[in-house]
Amino acid sequence: NDYPDTWGVAAALNIYGCCMMANRENFSAMGLFDEQIFMYYEEDDVALRAKAHGFEVLSTPFAVAHHQGNSSSTPSSRTSLIKAYHMTRSKLVMLDKYVGPTYLYASILRIIFAAPAAILIFTQIGKRKYKIKWKGRLLAAFDWTRQHKRTFQD
């Protein structure tokens, strides 16, 4: 409960998921990780749920985690597409869970209407990396709306 000042521990608004420590009982009480969120935004969800359960979220600049190789996957078009897809899908889950339908629907519509133009523009100017990212975003938006049809019909 009390941390010496020399530890540099402070309350945090959010945390970074590369290295987290949690009390097993508290983490279980929160419901562990949300299975709808895969890659990206899971640490935001954990922090928000921890606070909702009355737990403190703490951070220290003195903790160091080394990620061997300094990357999580080999860069490729396929990897970029998968990352863009999951980042967008997880963002939509978070918007649905914490922000509400107005901003969620606006975000989905923005992606659906902007993506075709962005894909065309980036194709024309030879920016393949950005074209692929927009394809991933568009796929995620379509998948999310297909899986939540009833939400849009209400």
Side-chain angles (χ1 to χ4, degrees):
N1 291 332
D2 295 321
Y3 301 95
D5 288 339
T6 55
W7 283 19
V9 174
L13 295 174
N14 62 359
I15 51 178
Y16 297 101
C18 68
C19 182
M20 294 188 295
M21 290 177 37
N23 175 288
R24 181 184 296 244
E25 289 174 16
N26 293 351
F27 197 55
S28 292
M30 293 171 24
L32 305 173
F33 286 107
D34 183 337
E35 291 184 10
Q36 293 185 82
I37 301 171
F38 175 73
M39 284 181 25
Y40 312 107
Y41 293 99
E42 63 271 16
E43 60 268 73
D44 298 313
D45 182 54
V46 167
L48 289 168
R49 286 188 296 120
K51 290 174 188 173
H53 279 82
F55 303 130
E56 269 189 301
V57 176
L58 304 171
S59 178
T60 178
F62 300 110
V64 177
H66 294 280
H67 195 274
Q68 188 173 357
N70 202 25
S71 65
S72 57
S73 54
T74 304
S76 70
S77 297
R78 184 173 187 269
T79 301
S80 293
L81 181 74
I82 291 168
K83 285 183 176 184
Y85 173 89
H86 284 294
M87 182 175 282
T88 301
R89 190 174 185 299
S90 293
K91 179 180 180 180
L92 295 176
V93 170
M94 290 292 288
L95 289 173
D96 188 31
K97 196 170 179 178
Y98 295 105
V99 180
T102 303
Y103 194 77
L104 169 68
Y105 299 152
S107 294
I108 291 169
L109 289 173
R110 192 172 25 247
I111 292 166
I112 290 172
F113 286 112
I119 292 167
L120 180 63
I121 290 167
F122 288 125
T123 299
Q124 293 298 316
I125 64 174
K127 299 287 186 175
R128 187 165 191 242
K129 177 173 110 175
Y130 297 107
K131 177 183 88 169
I132 290 167
K133 286 183 180 184
W134 274 100
K135 280 184 177 181
R137 292 174 185 142
L138 185 60
L139 288 170
F142 279 137
D143 281 355
W144 198 94
T145 54
R146 189 179 59 226
Q147 292 170 358
H148 296 84
K149 269 192 236 178
R150 279 185 273 128
T151 305
F152 283 97
Q153 293 170 354
D154 292 342

